[in-house]
Amino acid sequence: NAKSCGSNAYRFYAEAQTRAADERLAMEVALRRALDHDEFVLYYQPQVDARDGSLIGVEALVRWRSSQRGLVSPSRFIPLAEESGFIVALGDWVLRDACAQARAWLDEGVPLTRLAVNLSARQFRQPDLVERIRAMLDGNGLRPTLLELEITESVLMDVAGAMEKLGQLASIGVRIAIDDFGTGYSSFAYLKSIPFDVIKIDKSFVGDIGRDQASSRIVATIIQLGHGLDREVVAEGVETAEQRDFLLAAGCSSCQGYLFSPPFPARELDAWLRGEPY
Ligand code: C2E
Ligand code: MG
Ligand code: MG
Ligand code: MG
C-alpha cells in the first residue's frame, strides 16, 4: 500500500544519502592523505598573445595524481575541498608550489611575466592571506606584479570585506583577474568599485563563438566593457582558429586554450617555448 511504499522510498532515499555522505567522507580523508603524500601536482597552461603566439604568462591548474584513481581533474575534487575547508590547505600548497616553480623558471631564463593562480572563496577569506602571499613572494624573490590571483564573481559578491582584501592585495602589487566572467552575478556596480586588472571571458561564451550569435555578441561586448574600463581581457577556452580570429577582430589578443596548448607539467614549458611537439 501507499504507506509502506512511502516508507520504502524513504528508506532507499535515506540509504542513498548515507552512501553519498560516506563517499564524501572517504574522499575528504583521501584528499588530506594526498596532500601528506605529495600527490597533488600543478599543470600550467600558457596564456599567449594571439597576434604572434608569444607567451604572456601561465595559469597554474591543480591535479591529483592518485595511486588509486589516476590523474583526477580539479572539477572532481575542488568543490568538495571548498565545502570541507580543505581548500585552504590545498590552496596554500598551490601558491607555494607555483611560486617556487616561477622562481625556478626565472632562474633558468624563462621570460615569465605572469603567474596566474586560482583562489577559492575560503582562501580569500583567510585573515592572513595577504601576509602569506607577501611572504611567499618575498621568500622566492618574486615581484608581486608577477602574481595574478584569479577569483570568480561569486567570491566578490559573497565575501564580507572583499573590497578591503582586494585593496590590500592591490596595495602589495598583486594583480587580480575575474575568472569565468559572465557566469556569475554580474553587477556593474562592483566592476566600477573594485580594483582588478583582468577580465577572463568564460569559456562557455568563447566556445559558442561562430555557433551562436548571442554568445559572439556577448564576447564582443565583454571585450569592449573590459577595455572601456582600461582592463586587460583574456579569453579562455580558445579551441579553434575561427574563435581566435573573431577575438582578434574584436580587439582581444590575450588568449588561453587548447588551440595554443593544453595545460602541461612544468617541465614541458621549455619544449613548448621552443615550439617542439611533445
Ligand atoms: P578555470 O580556472 O576557469 O580554468 C580553466 C579550465 O579550462 C581548466 O580546467 C583548463 O584545463 C580548461 N581549459 C583550458 N583550455 C581549454 C579549452 O580550450 N577548452 C576547454 N573546454 N577547456 C579548456 P581544469 O584544469 O580542469 O580546472 C577546472 C577548474 O578547477 C578551474 O577553472 C578552476 O576553477 C578550478 N581549479 C583548478 N586549479 C585550481 C586551484 O589550484 N585552486 C582553486 N581554488 N581552483 C582550481
Ligand atoms: Mg581538466
Ligand atoms: Mg582560472
Ligand atoms: Mg575560467
Side-chain angles (χ1 to χ4, degrees), residues 1-256:
N1 63 27
K3 200 171 176 189
S4 68
C5 233
S7 84
N8 255 347
Y10 175 76
R11 189 163 53 79
F12 288 130
Y13 174 72
E15 280 170 5
Q17 280 224 314
T18 308
R19 216 163 33 242
D22 286 351
E23 273 162 26
R24 283 164 48 96
L25 197 62
M27 181 76 156
E28 272 179 48
V29 171
L31 285 173
R32 291 191 189 272
R33 278 181 54 96
L35 190 58
D36 291 338
H37 289 78
D38 224 19
E39 289 185 349
F40 290 103
V41 59
L42 293 183
Y43 275 39
Y44 293 89
Q45 186 175 35
Q47 298 181 345
V48 306
D49 184 330
R51 288 171 298 191
D52 57 10
S54 61
L55 182 74
I56 293 172
V58 294
E59 178 178 3
L61 294 157
V62 70
R63 272 97 182 90
W64 174 15
R65 199 174 273 155
S66 162
S67 45
Q68 272 143 53
R69 304 166 204 240
L71 196 66
V72 186
S73 115
S75 55
R76 298 212 11 236
F77 61 85
I78 292 282
L80 178 63
E82 298 225 18
E83 281 172 48
S84 68
F86 173 66
I87 192 72
V88 173
L90 178 61
D92 208 58
W93 178 86
V94 168
L95 273 166
R96 267 187 289 119
D97 206 60
C99 286
Q101 183 59 59
R103 180 70 263 159
W105 274 327
L106 292 171
D107 289 345
E108 287 165 23
V110 171
L112 189 71
T113 56
R114 176 183 303 169
L115 173 71
V117 177
N118 295 283
L119 211 66
S120 79
R122 288 254 199 166
Q123 259 184 298
F124 191 72
R125 253 182 263 145
Q126 281 180 99
D128 59 349
L129 176 72
V130 181
E131 291 82 68
R132 278 169 177 282
I133 287 176
R134 200 208 303 260
M136 285 185 225
L137 292 168
D138 283 352
N140 289 288
L142 299 174
R143 283 178 295 109
T145 49
L146 181 81
L147 183 63
E148 189 168 284
L149 301 173
E150 298 195 357
I151 54 179
T152 57
E153 292 163 86
S154 52
V155 172
L156 298 174
M157 305 308 292
D158 272 4
V159 179
M163 282 290 281
E164 198 190 339
K165 203 51 96 31
L166 285 174
Q168 291 168 349
L169 288 167
S171 76
I172 68 170
V174 167
R175 290 159 54 89
I176 302 288
I178 305 178
D179 205 354
D180 305 339
F181 187 83
T183 61
Y185 316 87
S186 300
S187 149
F188 294 114
Y190 80 75
L191 280 187
K192 198 179 76 172
S193 46
I194 67 162
F196 72 96
D197 302 275
V198 175
I199 285 178
K200 292 191 81 175
I201 309 174
D202 189 69
K203 57 181 179 295
S204 60
F205 300 116
V206 175
D208 278 341
I209 288 173
R211 275 188 232 151
D212 160 14
Q213 241 195 11
S215 286
S216 307
R217 288 196 182 135
I218 288 170
V219 168
T221 303
I222 294 174
I223 293 166
Q224 278 183 17
L225 172 69
H227 289 167
L229 293 170
D230 269 327
R231 271 29 178 238
E232 183 183 342
V233 180
V234 175
E236 67 175 21
V238 183
E239 294 183 353
T240 69
E242 185 193 8
Q243 290 161 3
R244 176 201 58 202
D245 294 344
F246 177 92
L247 289 159
L248 280 172
C252 173
S253 53
S254 303
C255 291
Q256 184 179 346

